[in-house]
Amino acid sequence: MLNLKRGATATVLTLALISGLAACGTKDDAKPAEAATAATESSSERQSDEEAKDENVSGSGKESASVKPSASPSPTGPYKPATPKRPAQNVPVPGPLPEVAKEESKAGQIAFVEHWVKEVNYAMESRQPTPLFQEMNGAKCKYCKKIKTSADNLRKTKTWVVGGKIRLEHLRPEPRQSSDAEYRVTTHASNDKILVYTKNSTKPVQTVPATKQPNGFVALEWREDKWVVKGFYNYAD
C-alpha cells in the first residue's frame, strides 16, 4: 500500500491514495509518500453504487462518505478477514491511544507512530476511519487525508481490499528536530500485495504489488500537548 517514492499523481486509496508536493516544514531532500490507495480509490470510483448491496461490511455500510462517526465502531461478532467474495467483518478496533504515546519524549514518538499505523490499517480494512485517527492527523497531512478519502470511497462504492497491510519497522526518532516544528521518526516501511474486489467481480479489479521502502520517515509535531502527524515521506536517493 505504500509507494514512498514520488510518481505520477493517481487518484487516491493513498498510502494508498496520492500526491506530489513536499510537506510544509520538510526540506527538499524529502518526497511525499504515495499510496496504493491511489490505485484503490481509482478503482473504487469506477464502481457504481448500484453494484452490490453489501451487507457484510464492518458496521452498517450505509453511511454517507461525508458523515463522520461520533465514536469508534465496536465489533459485534468474530473477526473475519476480507476474501475475494466479501469484505472484512468485525475488524478489531485499535483501541485508545497508549499513555506513553501522549508523552513529549522519544518513547512517546515511537508509541504514537506505532498506534497511528494500526489506525491506518484499520481504516483501510474496515473502510471506516475512527475519530481517533482523524484526531491524530495534522490539518496539512496530505497522506492522512488520502487514507480517509480512500476508505470512504471503498465504503461508498461497495469495494474492498484484500491484503495491503502496512508495516513500519525499526522506528527511530532522529536525535534532533529537523525544524522548530517538526520531529522525524525514521522507519523501514513495507506493505503486502493489495487486491481490490467488488461484489460483482470474480477477479480483482485492481492489483498493487507488495513494496518495501527502507528510507521512510513519519513527520510529527508536538502541538497543544499532544503529537500529530504532519506527513509520511521518504528520503530522496
Side-chain angles (χ1 to χ4, degrees):
M1 224 162 158
L2 289 192
N3 177 4
L4 297 180
K5 296 183 179 180
R6 178 175 301 198
T9 300
T11 359
V12 271
L13 194 36
T14 192
L15 217 172
L17 293 216
I18 78 195
S19 205
L21 303 174
C24 298
T26 62
K27 298 179 179 179
D28 291 339
D29 62 349
K31 297 180 181 180
E34 293 186 0
T37 25
T40 306
E41 181 182 81
S42 181
S43 295
S44 298
E45 289 175 338
R46 291 196 291 266
Q47 310 303 321
S48 75
D49 289 339
E50 303 171 356
E51 272 188 307
K53 291 183 179 179
D54 178 6
E55 297 176 358
N56 293 320
V57 182
S58 259
S60 70
K62 297 179 182 178
E63 306 90 341
S64 166
S66 62
V67 175
K68 294 182 180 180
S70 58
S72 298
S74 299
T76 56
Y79 167 56
K80 296 181 180 180
T83 71
K85 294 184 178 180
R86 57 155 178 78
Q89 293 177 280
N90 305 307
V91 182
V93 181
L97 192 65
E99 289 302 313
V100 65
K102 302 175 184 178
E103 298 177 0
E104 188 182 7
S105 63
K106 290 184 178 180
Q109 293 176 44
I110 292 175
F112 186 86
V113 172
E114 287 177 337
H115 191 84
W116 177 75
V117 75
K118 291 178 182 179
E119 292 281 351
V120 169
N121 284 324
Y122 175 82
M124 296 310 304
E125 186 176 14
S126 70
R127 304 178 291 178
Q128 180 64 75
T130 69
L132 176 58
F133 174 64
Q134 298 179 59
E135 292 173 7
M136 295 176 77
N137 301 326
K140 296 183 179 180
C141 178
K142 295 180 179 180
Y143 182 84
C144 307
K145 292 178 181 178
K146 290 170 183 177
I147 291 298
K148 183 181 185 304
T149 298
S150 292
D152 289 345
N153 283 346
L154 286 169
R155 183 177 70 253
K156 180 179 179 181
T157 59
K158 316 299 184 186
T159 311
W160 65 90
V161 169
V162 174
K165 183 177 181 179
I166 299 169
R167 296 176 179 82
L168 301 184
E169 300 174 314
H170 306 295
L171 295 169
R172 295 177 184 274
E174 291 193 343
R176 300 176 184 175
Q177 283 179 251
S178 58
S179 70
D180 291 340
E182 183 177 294
Y183 297 76
R184 291 181 180 179
V185 180
T186 61
T187 181
H188 292 186
S190 64
N191 67 270
D192 297 337
K193 181 179 180 180
I194 302 170
L195 300 173
V196 185
Y197 288 90
T198 187
K199 191 171 181 178
N200 291 343
S201 65
T202 56
K203 296 181 179 180
V205 295
Q206 179 73 41
T207 301
V208 181
T211 60
K212 292 183 179 180
Q213 173 51 255
N215 301 311
F217 70 90
V218 179
L220 302 177
E221 181 179 359
W222 181 255
R223 181 194 306 163
E224 298 178 354
D225 296 324
K226 66 179 182 180
W227 295 109
V228 295
V229 177
K230 292 186 65 181
F232 187 18
Y233 306 89
N234 76 306
Y235 289 104
D237 294 336

